Structures are given as C-alpha cells and as structure tokens.
Amino acid sequence: MSYGVLTSKTGHLLVETTTATGPTASDAALDRFQTVWGSTWVAGRLTLTTLHLTFVPTRVARGAAMLTLDLREVTGVELGGGRVSRAVGVRTAGHVTRLRCHGAPALAQQVADLAMAAGARRRR
C-alpha cells in the first residue's frame, strides 16, 4: 500500500475547540497549533495522504506550528457554504478544523472516504 501524497493545495486553516480537551494525539496537536496561532485563519499548504492530513503554515517565522491529523481519529467531515472557496470542517473528539480552499467539495469527499477507510483498518 502506498502512503504517498494524494492531494496538495494551498488554503487557510482555522481550529475551533469544541470540548475542554480531546483524548487523541490529533487533539493534542490541535491544542498546540491553537497555542501558537490562536483563533485566526492561517494561510498555508494542506497535504493529504491515506493516513494523515498535514498543514504547514506559510508564515514560518512565528515558529514551527505544523499540524498533522491522524485520519483514524477523524469523527466527521462537513462542507460549509460559499461560492468560490468553501470550508471543509474536519471533526475530532475535541476540535473542528476548518479548511478553506478551492475544490472544497472534492476535498471533503476525499477526506471522508480516507477517514472511513483508515478507521476500518484500525478496527481490523
């Protein structure tokens, strides 16, 4: 099985906290990302593989705040409204990560499919 890059695109990311703390490693990474960037839209590059969703901010000068989410820990994927650049919501136990980019409907479907497949691999 190949774990190469399936999708790579530029966009903006915003992390929202839904509970005090999440029990997963992805939630811990989201907490660290929020500590550095707060609740603002951050420009950067999104990379999707069969197991991970990675976001690297373009403003590297503020610190190493790269974010990696394990697709096995994704609990839901949603698509927000908009005309040109829509937002994809990726839910974990304690956070919602919003990704605003072109081609969001296709990205949302791809993330949902990969998260479902990753979850099925984990249960085997």
Side-chain angles (χ1 to χ4, degrees):
M1 169 180 274
S2 173
Y3 297 107
V5 174
L6 302 175
T7 300
S8 181
K9 54 178 59 198
T10 59
H12 295 83
L13 181 130
L14 171 73
V15 176
E16 299 174 3
T17 303
T18 58
T19 63
T21 58
T24 66
S26 291
D27 284 314
L30 289 164
D31 285 334
R32 286 190 302 274
F33 189 87
Q34 263 191 321
T35 300
V36 174
W37 296 101
S39 294
T40 60
W41 286 99
V42 179
R45 175 155 295 279
L46 169 77
T47 305
L48 181 64
T49 67
T50 56
L51 295 177
H52 296 99
L53 181 70
T54 303
F55 183 80
V56 179
T58 56
R59 295 184 278 170
V60 181
R62 268 186 82 179
M66 183 177 94
L67 174 65
T68 300
L69 300 178
D70 188 337
L71 291 177
R72 295 174 295 182
E73 298 170 351
V74 170
T75 60
V77 179
E78 57 203 41
L79 183 62
R83 288 188 172 198
V84 177
S85 65
R86 299 171 75 177
V88 176
V90 178
R91 289 189 177 271
T92 62
H95 296 85
V96 177
T97 304
R98 305 231 182 257
L99 306 160
R100 190 172 56 199
C101 61
H102 293 290
L107 178 65
Q109 185 62 52
Q110 192 174 21
V111 171
D113 293 344
L114 290 169
M116 187 179 300
R121 282 192 299 270
R122 180 178 62 183
R123 288 186 288 274
R124 286 185 198 165

